[in-house]
Structure formats: C-alpha cells, structure tokens
Amino acid sequence: MTDSLRPAAASRAAEPPSGGPPAMDPATVIRSKPYLFALLLAAILGIPISAVAYGFLALVSAIQQALFDDLPQEIFSGGVPAWWPVPWLVLCGLLTGLTIRYLPGNGGHSPAFGFQTGGGPPADKELFGIILAALSTLSLGAVLGPEAPLIAIGGGLAVLTVHLVRKDAPPMALTIMASAGSFAAISTLLGSPVLGAFLIMEVAGIGGATLSLVALPGLLASGIGALVFVGLDNWTGLGSFSLALPSVPPAVDPTVATMAWALAMGAAGALLGWVIRWIGLSLRAVVHMNRVLVTATLGLLIGLIAMAYQLISDNSFNQVLFSGQDALPALVEDAADYSVGVLILLAVCKLLAYGLALSAFRGGPVFPAMFIGAVLGIAAAGLPGMSLAPAIGMGIGAMCTAMLRLPLTSTLLATVLLGTDGVLVTPQVVVAVVVAFVLTNVLPNPGRQPAGHQS
C-alpha cells in the first residue's frame, strides 16, 4: 500500500522475517480516512462514467440502426440487398486501421490476446484513439463486443479525474479508482452489475487483501452505474443495452444424457475456440505489414461472409455482423424456426468473421463467443436427451471459457443469462466449462504474441 492509504497503525506493523514490507491489515485500511474518501469518490465518479458508457452504447446502436436498417430501406424497395454491408465493412477497416496506426495508444489492446490487464489503465492522451477505434469497429459491423473498450474507457476516465484532483496521487489510489471506473462503465452490460464486476476481478486476478480493498469501491460504482443506466433508459427511451434472453422452455433436472452431452459440448467449444484464436493470431503478422490496407481487406472479407450468409440462408446479414448482443434474444426466441443446417452455417460464418475481426479490429471477445455458443446449443437441442435451456447454457459456457479462459465468469455468464432456469442447468454448464477449460489449456498455443507488439 502507498502512504496515502496506509494509516499509522498499519505502517507500524511488524515486518516479516525476510525484512520485506509490513503486512497490510485490510480492516485498518478500510477504516482510514483516505480509503473512505476513495469510496466517496468512487460513488461520485460512478455517475458520469456510467452516463458516458450509456451514451457510447447509444451512439453505437444509433449508427448501426441508421446505416444497416433505416438507410437501405429508404433506398431499396425490395428489401436490403445482400451486398449492402460490404462497403461499410471496408470503411470500418480503413477508419480502425488509420486510428490504430496514427493515434496514440494503438486504439487499445488487441482482442486477439483476450483481455489485457498489464500496464494499467490507458493514459489521458490514449483515450480518444481507444474511443474512435471502438466506435468505428462496433458501429460499422466488425464482429466484436463493447465490453473491453468500455472497461478501458471507464478506467481511463477515472484516472484522468483523479489526476485533475491530485496530480501526485499514489499508485494504489489510481488502481482503486481505475477499477471503480471500469466497474461503472459495464455495470449492466452483461445483465448484472455483479457479473460485470466479477469479470473484471477474475481478469485482473485480484485476490486476498487487495480484493477487499478494490472490490468495495468498484461494487459501489457499479451499483450506482446500474441505477444511472436504468434512469437514462427511462428518460431517453433509447434502450437498456443490457443483455437479456426471452423466456425459454423450462429446464429439466440434469440427466445422464445431458451430462454426457455436456462433455461433448465442452470439447466442441474448446476446438472451435482454438480455431477462432488461430485465425486471429495467424493473421497478426500480415496485419503489421500494412495496418491500414490489411485491416480494410479484412473488413471486406467479413462483409463478403455476411453477404454469403444472407444469399444462402435468406436470413439477414445482421446475424453475422456486430457483437451478437442484439441478435441473440431474437435467435433464441425463434429457435424453432431454424433448421440445423442454417444454424451450422450461421455458426461457421460468425466464427470466421469473429476470427478475422480479432486479428486487427478493436473490441471485446465476450459477446461473439456467447452468440456462437448459443447457436451451437440451439442446434444441439434436438439431440436425444437434450432440451433447449441446458443446451444453450452449455454452449455459451464452453465457448466463453475457450475464448476468455475465465471458467468462473463463463459459468456465471451462462447461468445468470438463463434466469431462473440457470439454477437447474448449472451442473451441466459446470461440466461443459471444466472440459472446455482443460482442453483449451492442453491444446497447443495457436499463436504467439509478436515481440514488442501490443496492437
């Protein structure tokens, strides 16, 4: 701990035999005035940061609606043509590539390597590039989610505010406030403020005494952020931007058959996750040869994949594009209308577009993984001994585990999303998650991060 957060009693703690720093007493720190001030500041910062996050998500949604739904319907009377997303994905690649190439901060961390926690929150000068890269990626059709950019934006804004208040703020104070800002930014995005907070804590590997000190301001900011999200939704009517599924057929008690299928689903998730990561990581060297040109080309390929899906299936290309957050509820609600062949085609197209987007664009890996997992679950729901709720839960849990390597968060993502059915499907989800996690770590690494590159 830093001196500003360590009270006198803690600073006089006995040194360990090795002569290292004094042992930290979390209870004493929590009672200290600097820490209580940090709690108050976290509560205050939760309001504007969550409002900024809500505004960012609303802007992304508005651009998507205007470009991919409203505009083509005004121009074409016979429906939106399948080629429509292609030029927008090329523009997406150009804007994202230019932002990463020429603005400070590389547009944030590359999602090809999962969530990156090293290096702390972004510096003040890097925030604009992170926002612009994420906005172009998410608005114009690349297959990534908003969670990683929101975490970076929330943490960066919190640190910026602390620096404005006190330029010589100690590192621990910056860490606590950055975590609180990140908590607030994704307070309801995943359907629950607790789930968003859990994601951040597992990604950062927070534990022990640090967990108590960091979690309290973060949870406070997250709770206040959730209230702000709800209030802005009621006031503006723009939407809640919180992932939620419609009612699914009630889950049944676990059986030997469903537990056996959980083993298969976990293995399938691990293998598909390996393929996605292999695509994303294998293209990294090509991306670095010419950032702008290659990113635009990858955007073209993503657009062509979405076009092919619409031409073959006669379903909207929107199911392939974007994070999948908006398309997932409708897919689950209309699950009975999709043949197994169409579901497999959708999973393959989404998988390819996801892998291409990972290599060069900016966003988070959670929502596309959840969408692919749900598609696999729906396709498997008709197997002997299977039903829709456990199949969706197992698919989401396995795919999230393969892509995030966060088994606890992946289990919660699958079970919390299913609401009351999540309790009944927990055993199957746990089996699928464990199998996926073990196989993901046993399989060879699909690629290594190039030396000196974080972008």
Side-chain angles (χ1 to χ4, degrees):
M1 287 292 293
T2 58
D3 290 339
S4 67
L5 288 178
R6 186 195 300 122
S11 65
R12 293 192 299 268
E15 292 187 359
S18 61
M24 180 177 59
D25 181 6
T28 304
V29 174
I30 290 174
R31 290 194 298 266
S32 67
K33 290 182 179 179
Y35 188 81
L36 295 177
F37 175 76
L39 282 175
L40 177 62
L41 185 58
I44 295 173
L45 285 179
I47 298 174
I49 289 178
S50 56
V52 169
Y54 183 93
F56 177 82
L57 294 173
L59 180 59
V60 168
S61 178
I63 295 174
Q64 290 178 356
Q65 178 71 29
L67 295 182
F68 291 88
D69 291 322
D70 297 341
L71 182 59
Q73 289 178 10
E74 293 178 1
I75 298 175
F76 307 101
S77 58
V80 182
W83 57 262
W84 182 256
V86 175
W88 297 111
L89 265 298
V90 174
L91 177 62
C92 177
L94 286 173
L95 292 178
T96 305
L98 289 170
T99 301
I100 297 172
R101 175 67 178 82
Y102 293 106
L103 292 183
N106 295 318
H109 292 296
S110 171
F113 307 112
F115 282 105
Q116 298 286 307
T117 59
D124 304 347
K125 63 180 181 179
E126 298 174 347
L127 276 175
F128 179 72
I130 291 173
I131 294 172
L132 186 58
L135 183 63
S136 58
T137 291
L138 301 175
S139 301
L140 298 177
V143 186
L144 290 170
E147 67 283 351
L150 286 180
I151 290 172
I153 292 170
L157 290 176
V159 170
L160 175 61
T161 303
V162 172
H163 280 153
L164 292 176
V165 175
R166 182 180 174 184
K167 293 184 178 180
D168 60 343
M172 178 57 77
L174 295 177
T175 298
I176 291 176
M177 299 317 300
S179 297
S182 297
F183 280 40
I186 63 166
S187 54
T188 63
L189 183 64
L190 300 175
S192 167
V194 175
L195 183 52
F198 199 92
L199 169 65
I200 295 174
M201 288 186 288
E202 191 175 14
V203 168
I206 301 174
T210 305
L211 174 61
S212 300
L213 297 177
V214 174
L216 287 180
L219 289 173
L220 179 60
S222 181
I224 292 175
L227 291 176
V228 172
F229 265 65
V230 172
L232 288 174
D233 177 29
N234 294 332
W235 180 48
T236 65
L238 295 175
S240 65
F241 307 111
S242 179
L243 181 62
L245 289 183
S247 298
V248 297
V252 297
D253 292 334
T255 64
V256 174
T258 57
M259 298 301 283
W261 286 122
L263 295 173
M265 190 68 77
L271 293 174
L272 291 177
W274 188 93
V275 172
I276 294 169
R277 292 169 55 231
W278 178 83
I279 294 173
L281 292 171
S282 297
L283 291 172
R284 297 285 301 156
V286 181
V287 171
H288 284 286
M289 291 180 181
N290 190 319
R291 165 68 68 175
V292 178
L293 177 61
V294 174
T295 307
T297 302
L298 293 174
L300 172 65
L301 293 176
I302 294 173
L304 292 175
I305 291 171
M307 181 181 73
Y309 172 75
Q310 178 164 318
L311 290 174
I312 297 172
S313 69
D314 203 30
N315 292 320
S316 174
F317 52 70
N318 286 335
Q319 292 182 325
V320 173
L321 302 180
F322 311 115
S323 69
Q325 178 185 357
D326 295 333
L328 181 56
L331 179 73
V332 173
E333 187 173 15
D334 301 328
D337 298 335
Y338 291 86
S339 67
V340 174
V342 170
L343 290 170
I344 293 175
L345 175 65
L346 176 57
V348 170
C349 290
K350 193 79 172 183
L351 180 152
L352 293 174
Y354 183 22
L356 294 176
L358 281 175
S359 66
F361 292 85
R362 292 295 181 260
V366 174
F367 286 105
M370 294 180 69
F371 186 89
I372 295 173
V375 172
L376 293 177
I378 295 171
L383 294 171
M386 282 282 271
S387 58
L388 187 60
I392 291 176
M394 290 186 288
I396 291 176
M399 282 304 305
C400 287
T401 301
M403 295 306 301
L404 306 179
R405 301 195 180 196
L406 304 174
L408 298 180
T409 298
S410 299
T411 302
L412 286 176
L413 281 169
T415 54
V416 171
L417 187 61
L418 290 172
T420 55
D421 291 325
V423 177
L424 289 177
V425 305
T426 298
Q428 300 99 304
V429 172
V430 168
V431 172
V433 165
V434 170
V435 172
F437 185 72
V438 171
L439 287 181
T440 298
N441 285 277
V442 169
L443 290 170
N445 193 336
R448 294 184 177 276
Q449 180 174 340
H453 287 297
Q454 287 288 334
S455 60

